[in-house]
Amino acid sequence: MADAVDRAANRRRSNTELGLLILAILTTLTAASLVELSQQPEVPNAVLTYGGVFIGGAAIAHLAKRWLAPGSDPVLLPVAVLLNGLGLVMVRRIDFARIDRNADAAAFADAQVVWSIVAMLAFVATLIVLRDHLSLDRYRYLIGLGSVLLLLTPLLPVIGREVNGARIWIHVAGLTIQPVEIAKLGLTTFFASYLAEKRDILAVATNRLGPVMVPPLRAFVPLLAIWAVGIAVLGLQNDLGPSLLFYGVFLVVLYVATGRLAYPLAGVALAGVGGYFAYHMFSHVQSRVAIWIDVWERYTSDGYQLAQSLFAFGTGGISGVGLGQGQPDFIPFVETDFIFSAFGEEAGLLGTAAILLCFLLIVGRGFRIAMRARDEFGALLALGLTTIFGLQVFIIIGGVTRLIPLTGITLPFMSYGGSSLLANYVLIALLVRISAPAPARSRRRTPPGEPRWEDEPYVADSDGQAAELADVDSTGAVRGEE
């Protein structure tokens, strides 16, 4: 009976995902048709070509998820596909605008379609290879060391590339890759695994600092180490964004794991000290802050890009000028750092608010997965992945709207670039894997020589989450559900 209830719940969730995925694809095709109709009076074959390839990739991802992770979260994949599709539509719109001004301008939409399919296949591959997220816990130090080395590869003299003042790219086999996008997943996994293992030590206050009891000094070593890595990335690669992401996610996961407010307070203090020295040591940091304070004073120089972004939002107003009717090519590098500004002009406040709600939906589902995870590592990993995703969205959107100083990172799923698209689909796959029902296992610390894990019987509730057999009545239904 329990198996029948489980299968029925899994089937309902998969069908819900299919319906949401169809809605996401229809929305993408409608937006693509509007962009194409703005250039010529009839919808060209490009919509069918791009649309067919995109639908095929989304269908493969859905079927693989249905088979490999039944009962997992039904919302994450459709929302990711919707954001990816809208981003692809805007990249093609930007191509049209550039070609209208310069017939020899490079087109990016074709490459973005290929990267979208590759990223969806990476989503499937992650689910195939990672049948249980707990397997990552066994390789924490290897994953952490590999991520740090990957993060530093752009500093190598042969393959490292500097683009727009930031040395965050490598060129291998004809491909230009941003290693930080993959490294962020590995470092987040390491943080989650390390803190799940050491949380008891980090949470105990055994030393006295004046009138206050504090944890052992060694407990602060990881915090200091990550702070140093963040400053190194900022200084050596001239890139502020990854430093903020890594440092922010570490503080959040550390606080949730230990429940000690002293850690984030100490982290914020260290960040303030590091930011003060970085401002006085690096000219590009001073430039970003100066642009943020008064963009109009520097309009004709390094403030031009941000000023054009603000003009785009002002032009769009409430409802926007319409897809295909704006001038997104007026913003330098609009397809990467400023694609949200292009939506601000053509879709207006209503369109950008809808996009923000999609990002918030992913963040909300991610936090929900973290809260309902059955083991400490899974909970902290889901929390870390969701935090780094949400921070990235906040940093880039806050930068292009002048809420905070601008940093050069991509908007997940929407900006042009294969590395970001690939990493974020893998991130979604990891959250899907954590959310999938599995034989429930509760993590507990035990003396050496005793088993670390204890299997417990379970049955899935209506959300596909594990429920104790003690909570199941004689009919196989979960108590407390209608």
Side-chain angles (χ1 to χ4, degrees):
M1 182 64 71
D3 290 341
V5 174
D6 190 17
R7 287 194 297 270
N10 293 346
R11 196 160 45 246
R12 285 197 302 270
R13 292 168 70 83
S14 295
N15 291 338
T16 298
E17 179 181 272
L18 178 60
L20 293 174
L21 198 58
I22 292 173
L23 180 60
I25 291 173
L26 289 176
T27 302
T28 298
L29 293 179
T30 300
S33 298
L34 292 174
V35 168
E36 298 290 343
L37 288 171
S38 71
Q39 304 298 314
Q40 48 190 319
E42 59 183 18
V43 179
N45 293 331
V47 172
L48 299 178
T49 302
Y50 286 144
V53 173
F54 192 74
I55 291 172
I60 291 173
H62 168 71
L63 293 175
K65 178 178 175 294
R66 196 178 188 118
W67 173 49
L68 297 168
S72 58
D73 189 280
V75 177
L76 290 174
L77 180 61
V79 177
V81 168
L82 175 61
L83 292 171
N84 181 195
L86 292 177
L88 178 61
V89 169
M90 184 53 69
V91 169
R92 183 159 175 81
R93 164 68 189 104
I94 295 167
D95 284 349
F96 283 141
R98 285 214 176 103
I99 292 173
D100 286 344
R101 294 182 61 187
N102 180 7
D104 296 327
F108 298 106
D110 291 347
Q112 189 73 348
V113 170
V114 174
W115 276 115
S116 297
I117 301 305
V118 171
M120 291 178 184
L121 293 178
F123 171 90
V124 175
T126 302
L127 294 180
I128 292 175
V129 173
L130 190 67
R131 294 303 182 99
D132 187 349
H133 66 276
L134 293 171
S135 60
L136 297 173
D137 194 22
R138 296 194 293 267
Y139 303 102
R140 70 169 73 99
Y141 293 108
L142 182 62
I143 292 173
L145 178 61
S147 299
V148 171
L149 293 177
L150 188 63
L151 186 64
L152 297 177
T153 51
L155 299 177
L156 297 177
V158 177
I159 61 175
R161 294 288 187 274
E162 182 174 325
V163 179
N164 300 323
R167 195 176 180 87
I168 57 175
W169 302 86
I170 61 173
H171 189 75
V172 179
L175 297 176
T176 302
I177 303 170
Q178 198 171 359
V180 67
E181 292 291 343
I182 306 299
K184 70 182 183 182
L185 302 180
L187 286 176
T188 302
T189 302
F190 171 76
F191 293 158
S193 179
Y194 177 84
L195 291 171
E197 179 73 27
K198 304 295 185 182
R199 63 182 301 175
D200 295 335
I201 299 175
L202 293 168
V204 175
T206 59
N207 297 346
R208 182 176 295 277
L209 183 62
V212 180
M213 294 297 293
V214 297
L217 180 60
R218 68 179 184 276
F220 287 98
V221 171
L223 180 64
L224 295 172
I226 296 301
W227 177 66
V229 169
I231 296 302
V233 172
L234 169 63
L236 297 177
Q237 298 184 351
N238 290 336
D239 193 34
L240 180 62
S243 300
L244 295 176
L245 287 178
F246 297 146
Y247 197 70
V249 71
F250 181 77
L251 289 182
V252 170
V253 176
L254 181 62
Y255 173 64
V256 172
T258 63
R260 295 191 62 86
L261 189 59
Y263 286 112
L265 291 179
V268 171
L270 288 174
V273 173
Y276 175 81
F277 282 106
Y279 177 81
H280 288 85
M281 291 175 62
F282 305 115
S283 59
H284 67 280
V285 177
Q286 297 177 11
S287 175
R288 296 283 178 89
V289 174
I291 294 171
W292 174 59
I293 292 174
D294 190 353
V295 63
W296 310 113
E297 183 181 356
R298 308 169 76 93
Y299 173 74
T300 58
S301 56
D302 49 8
Y304 177 80
Q305 187 183 35
L306 181 57
Q308 289 298 320
S309 171
L310 299 178
F311 284 142
F313 285 116
T315 303
I318 300 296
S319 58
V321 298
L323 289 176
Q325 304 302 317
Q327 297 174 316
D329 55 312
F330 280 20
I331 307 174
F333 306 105
V334 63
E335 72 279 354
T336 53
D337 300 351
F338 284 82
I339 197 166
F340 189 73
S341 304
F343 278 103
E345 180 182 16
E346 300 202 346
L349 177 63
L350 296 177
T352 52
I355 292 172
L356 283 176
L357 287 175
C358 289
F359 284 120
L360 286 174
L361 188 57
I362 291 179
V363 172
R365 300 298 292 194
F367 285 146
R368 183 176 183 272
I369 291 170
M371 292 176 63
R372 298 174 71 91
R374 294 295 305 225
D375 60 276
E376 296 173 11
F377 171 63
L380 292 178
L381 179 57
L383 172 70
L385 294 173
T386 305
T387 299
I388 204 167
F389 181 89
L391 278 176
Q392 185 165 346
V393 172
F394 171 76
I395 289 172
I396 186 59
I397 292 182
V400 302
T401 56
R402 203 181 159 215
L403 178 65
I404 59 175
L406 180 66
T407 60
I409 60 177
T410 58
L411 185 62
F413 294 112
M414 306 197 80
S415 294
Y416 171 77
S419 303
S420 175
L421 203 54
L422 186 70
N424 283 295
Y425 266 108
V426 173
L427 184 151
I428 294 297
L430 291 173
L431 289 176
V432 164
R433 175 56 70 204
I434 297 170
S435 71
R441 286 175 289 189
S442 301
R443 188 168 192 168
R444 61 187 179 94
R445 301 299 160 198
T446 57
E450 294 187 18
R452 288 179 59 189
W453 301 98
E454 180 181 17
D455 290 340
E456 300 171 357
Y458 84 105
V459 62
D461 63 16
S462 60
D463 286 328
Q465 303 294 329
E468 303 285 348
L469 279 181
D471 295 329
V472 180
D473 62 23
S474 59
T475 66
V478 179
R479 291 194 182 104
E481 292 200 349
E482 297 288 335

